[in-house]
Amino acid sequence: MSNRDSANRDSADRVAAESACPGCRAPLVQITINVGAGERTLCSCAKCDRRWWQVDGRMTTLDGVIHDLGEPETPRARHHH
């Protein structure tokens, strides 16, 4: 196996591990929204019903996400049409 194949497999393994429920190891449903302060991701497990929010790969509270929804958009996050 080439180094490139090995790197691709390592990357896929990390994504798979991050996409599994830490409680039951079932696949997660992840929904990412863009708020003024950046992206927020809802992680949900259909098997054990765990749910949590993440910011930059770290867990956060629902209250934190709700607060961030009220933050104004940063100039670099704005999309011009």
Side-chain angles (χ1 to χ4, degrees):
M1 174 181 332
S2 73
N3 287 341
R4 183 176 180 185
D5 291 338
S6 178
N8 286 342
R9 178 178 288 168
D10 289 345
S11 178
D13 289 345
R14 278 193 303 275
V15 169
E18 293 170 4
S19 299
C21 176
C24 70
R25 307 303 301 161
L28 290 176
V29 173
Q30 296 178 313
I31 301 169
T32 300
I33 61 172
N34 200 4
V35 299
E39 291 184 342
R40 303 296 179 259
T41 301
L42 171 64
C43 300
S44 177
C45 178
K47 184 175 180 182
C48 71
D49 206 31
R50 291 178 190 219
R51 291 186 181 91
W52 64 94
W53 286 91
Q54 291 183 336
V55 177
D56 298 325
R58 296 182 317 269
M59 289 181 77
T60 189
T61 64
L62 175 58
D63 288 342
V65 173
I66 291 170
H67 175 265
D68 292 344
L69 286 169
E71 292 293 312
E73 254 186 288
T74 60
R76 68 179 182 158
R78 287 194 184 120
H79 298 288
H80 298 283
H81 296 275

